[in-house]
Amino acid sequence: MKTILLIFVVSLISYASWSQDSAKHLSLQEAITASTSNNNAIKLSALDEQIARAKFRQTDAILLPQANVSYTASTTNSPLNAFGFRLQQRSITAADFNPKLLNNPSATSDFSAKFELQQPLLNV
């Protein structure tokens, strides 16, 4: 029994020492390449650089003209709002001051469309 145990221990030690001999020698350039390709901090800093470059390119949009289109529509039968809509439209007549129409107006609509074009004063 002792001999079997001794043979087992010797074979285990020899196998462990034999597996240690397979070391790979790297040149300096191979080591640098392996470390930079597997380094997550370098990959994150490269992404941060791309983000910063994209944000810098967004500043070019300031120099371009900007166009905006808006449209508003409102309808009401509230006496105060209906009279206000007519005032804004500058379509007031003497018949609009009739107390029956002032207190119980029909549906009044107000539409407004706007187009804006903004160009910077200084376009470098």
Side-chain angles (χ1 to χ4, degrees):
M1 180 76 173
K2 275 184 159 181
T3 57
I4 295 174
L5 182 62
L6 183 63
I7 292 172
F8 178 71
V9 170
V10 169
S11 66
L12 184 64
I13 290 173
S14 66
Y15 176 73
S17 65
W18 178 70
S19 65
Q20 294 294 323
D21 289 337
S22 62
K24 182 180 178 185
H25 296 284
L26 293 175
S27 68
L28 179 61
Q29 188 60 33
E30 289 174 344
I32 291 173
T33 304
S35 66
T36 55
S37 66
N38 295 326
N39 193 344
N40 289 335
I42 293 175
K43 291 177 185 177
L44 287 176
S45 65
L47 287 175
D48 288 340
E49 181 183 354
Q50 290 176 355
I51 291 170
R53 189 175 294 124
K55 286 183 179 179
F56 178 71
R57 287 185 186 148
Q58 283 181 343
T59 59
D60 291 339
I62 294 172
L63 303 176
L64 298 174
Q66 297 178 1
N68 295 325
V69 177
S70 65
Y71 178 77
T72 353
S74 300
T75 302
T76 186
N77 62 354
S78 167
L80 186 59
N81 288 337
F83 190 71
F85 284 171
R86 288 191 192 113
L87 283 175
Q88 286 178 347
Q89 295 170 358
R90 294 184 177 103
S91 63
I92 298 292
T93 62
D96 291 330
F97 291 99
N98 183 359
K100 283 187 177 183
L101 290 177
L102 284 174
N103 292 327
N104 193 11
S106 60
T108 305
S109 300
D110 184 29
F111 302 100
S112 171
K114 182 169 75 170
F115 177 75
E116 286 182 344
L117 181 64
Q118 296 176 347
Q119 175 71 32
L121 292 176
L122 180 61
N123 194 349
V124 181

